[in-house]
Amino acid sequence: MTVRLDQLRRCHFAVDLGAARTRVYVKGAGLVVDQPSAAAVNTRTGALIAVGEFAERMTGRTPSYIRVVRPVSGGTVVDIEMAQRMLRHLLGDKMRRALRRKPRLRGAACTPHDADPLAQRAAIETLVGLGARHVELVDTLIAAAVGCGLPVEQPEGMMIIICGAAATQVAVLSLGSIVTAERIAVGGEAVDRAIVQHLRLEHELLLPSQSVRPLQLALSGNGLTPHGPATTEIHGRDIATGLARSVRVDTAAVRDAIQTPLTGVLDGIGKVLRGCPPDLVADLADRGIIMVGGSALLPGLDQMLRQATGMPVNIAERPELCAIQGIGAMLEGRMEPLVLDPLAPDEPRDHQPGSAPSAPHRQESAQRRADERAGQ
C-alpha cells in the first residue's frame, strides 16, 4: 500500500461511483459533487435533460419519451458513455476547466473488492472521458476504512462492513491490506424490495417508488427492535382498483420481512470470521465491527448484528461519506504509511577458538610472521 499511496498523492481528483450516489473529490477543493447516480434522457433526441437530484425526483413521473437511467449498478459502471455525460454535468463547466489546466491530469476511482477486469476497465474509461491521462483504482474497503479513521497500517485486526444500496461488503483488514473479504448481494435496495413485496402480498397495496424507504416506513424510533411503534399508516395505490388507499401496517410483520434478506449479511460475516487467523479474531472481539455506507443508518441494524455476532458494533460518523473522505485523505497526503526502522548491521565478531579467523586477524598473523623472519 505504500507504493499506492505515493501514486495517489500525484492524483488531482477522485470519484466514488456508487449505485445510489456519485461523489467527486478534487484535491485542494474537497468534496465538490454529492448527487444521486441518475440521469434523465430524451429518447427522441438523445439529449440529457437532468442529472442528480432533479433526475431522481423525475423517476416515475416522466412522459413516455423521457427515461431516467442509472449508469452505475452495484458499484460497477454499466453505461460508460452515460456515466461520462453525467459526471461532466455534475462537475460543471468551471470545475472541468480547472481540471483541464492540470498538466497530465491524473484521477482515482473507488472499485469494489471483487471487481472483475471488465468492471475495472469501465471505471478507468469513465475517468479517461473526463480528460484523465492516468487512473488509479482504490479498493472501496481500504478507502472506507481510512475515511472512518481506522489505523489500517497497524498490525491489528479490524472488521469493516460497507452497507451499500446494491451490495454489502464485509472484510477484515490488517497492515494496510485485506485479509479476508466477502461481497453479499444484499443492500438497501433488497430491503426496499422486501417491504414492497410484503405490502403487496399482505395488504394488496402498491407503493410509489419514491416512498419505498425503510426510514420513512415503520422503522422510526427503535427500528428493527420490538420496542418501536406497534403500527404505522402507509399511503399507496390499491392493486385491484388503482385508487389511492391508506392502511395500518403492523410494524412487527414489516420487521420480519426486512430481516429475511438481512440474514445473508449475517452469513457473510460468519464466512469472513471463519477465514480469519485466530489472532485477528481476538483483535476483533476487542475492537468490534465498524459499519459504513448509506444503508448503515437503517435503524436497528447495528443492534441486530451485535446480537448475532456478540461483538461491539459501531456506526461511523457520516458513514455515507467514508469512502470518498478516505480516498481524499490519500490524495491530500494526510495518511502516512507505516515505516519500519531498518535493522542495524551485524557487528564484526571477534575470533574465537574453533572458528575461522577473520580477514584482519589473518593480515595481523602474516605481518607478525614476516617480522620474525626479518629479525632472524
Side-chain angles (χ1 to χ4, degrees), residues 40-230:
V41 183
N42 189 329
T43 57
R44 296 174 181 174
T45 62
L48 199 61
I49 298 176
V51 295
E53 295 282 357
F54 190 38
E56 180 83 4
R57 293 198 301 269
M58 293 171 64
T59 303
R61 298 183 175 92
T62 61
S64 59
Y65 64 92
I66 296 179
R67 185 166 56 99
V68 178
V69 297
R70 293 185 174 273
V72 185
S73 176
T76 302
V77 180
V78 295
D79 190 341
I80 297 176
E81 181 183 358
M82 187 56 63
Q84 292 174 350
R85 296 175 65 184
M86 180 185 70
L87 281 174
R88 291 193 195 102
H89 282 76
L90 289 176
L91 283 172
D93 295 336
K94 183 178 180 181
M95 185 57 66
R96 283 191 290 119
R97 283 196 300 267
L99 289 176
R100 282 198 298 265
R101 296 192 190 101
K102 304 288 184 182
R104 295 191 61 84
L105 182 64
R106 301 171 68 97
C110 292
T111 56
H113 173 66
D114 59 347
D116 54 26
L118 289 178
Q120 296 178 1
R121 187 64 183 176
I124 293 174
E125 290 294 335
T126 302
L127 268 64
V128 168
L130 295 178
R133 301 288 297 275
H134 185 82
V135 178
E136 289 288 339
L137 299 181
V138 182
D139 198 306
T140 307
L141 291 166
I142 299 293
V146 174
C148 64
L150 291 178
V152 295
E153 289 291 337
Q154 299 299 322
E156 301 176 3
M158 55 202 76
M159 175 175 281
I160 185 170
I161 300 179
I162 300 181
C163 304
T168 300
Q169 301 181 66
V170 184
V172 174
L173 310 177
S174 180
L175 283 174
S177 300
I178 297 174
V179 180
T180 56
E182 189 72 20
R183 186 174 185 269
I184 307 102
V186 175
E189 295 176 354
V191 175
D192 294 346
R193 288 193 297 268
I195 294 176
V196 171
Q197 189 71 7
H198 170 75
L199 295 177
R200 185 184 184 95
L201 295 178
E202 298 296 330
H203 301 277
E204 297 184 352
L205 191 71
L206 185 63
L207 288 182
S209 59
Q210 297 296 320
S211 300
V212 186
R213 287 293 177 268
L215 302 181
Q216 299 173 357
L217 296 176
L219 301 182
S220 59
N222 292 317
L224 297 180
T225 63
H227 305 291

Side-chain angles (χ1 to χ4, degrees), residues 305-329:
L305 295 180
R306 192 179 299 112
Q307 293 175 352
T309 60
M311 296 189 299
V313 179
N314 301 304
I315 301 177
E317 185 178 357
R318 302 196 68 183
E320 68 279 3
L321 299 179
C322 284
I324 193 64
Q325 287 178 346
I327 196 171

Side-chain angles (χ1 to χ4, degrees), residues 256-267:
D256 293 338
I258 289 175
Q259 288 179 346
T260 300
L262 293 180
T263 54
V265 178
L266 300 178
D267 295 339

